[in-house]
Amino acid sequence: MLIVLPLLGALTLTAISGQSWSTSEKRTLQSAINSALHSAEITRFYQLCKEQPADGSAPYSLTDKEQQRLQTLLQQKVHTQNIDQLLKLDSKLTQSVKANIVAPSSCEDSKAVQTLLDNYEVALFSLDIAMPLERAISRSTAVKTPQASSSAVQQLIDRSHAIALVNVVDKQQLNAVQQANYLHPDYSGRYVFKVQHGWRANINYYLGMHIFVADKDIDKLEKQWLIFLDKNGHFIKALEFNKARPYLNTLKDAQWRYDVYGNLHRN
């Protein structure tokens, strides 16, 4: 723990736009943002790497196990549980905090996973002992960016025949038979979507991506997406995971999933 504690103090206390915050309030906001970003990274790791039971039993939780604690602390310290609003309060501070979070390089990187969990615990502790803001974060202080309204979210869900959370993988992971079964003969991309779980109608375990990704661009590409398909299997929309929160909150628990062997299970 003593090794990771200095990381919190090393981040620059950037001036928060829109309101005048005291030094202690800036530290509170920094701790809140740090905790929220760690939670998001841990949830992403669980969704990418946690194997689901293959025997049809209840699926494991795929979210940060400290999420309730985080929500309680956010309400107490910054008077809101709206993480999107919090992260948009100051983009420079959010990017500065995010740059200091080291994500595991693979599902087998147990050392990095433990470091991530330890740093998250430190972030939550820092938030727990922080002074509450004297006033709530107002919507006017956040950087205004286009955001889907609740009605637009529901409309897209209603229009979709199938919705799925998918990961980007190399097509070479598929053998010749799988490529023939899952991909269109004219599909020329090297990278494909591997389906984790979804809602409404189920879709194939693998499918071609909606965009062409060159090898030089793969490291810049978001590795997890939420996709919406029509009844013919055509893409209606594809959202990077970090933009999919309003939709995932509305969809809630997945209705079906694939296990690590590619077997379909209904939840």
Side-chain angles (χ1 to χ4, degrees), residues 164-168 193-196 207 223-227:
L165 190 69
V166 299
N167 299 331
V168 178
F193 282 142
K194 180 179 180 181
V195 177
Q196 299 300 308
L207 70 159
K223 299 305 187 295
Q224 194 168 39
W225 295 71
L226 185 67
I227 61 173

Side-chain angles (χ1 to χ4, degrees), residues 208-224:
M209 295 183 65
H210 61 301
I211 54 175
F212 177 83
V213 181
D215 289 347
K216 64 182 179 63
D217 297 323
I218 188 62
D219 290 338
K220 307 172 189 174
L221 184 75
E222 176 68 42
K223 299 305 187 295
Q224 194 168 39

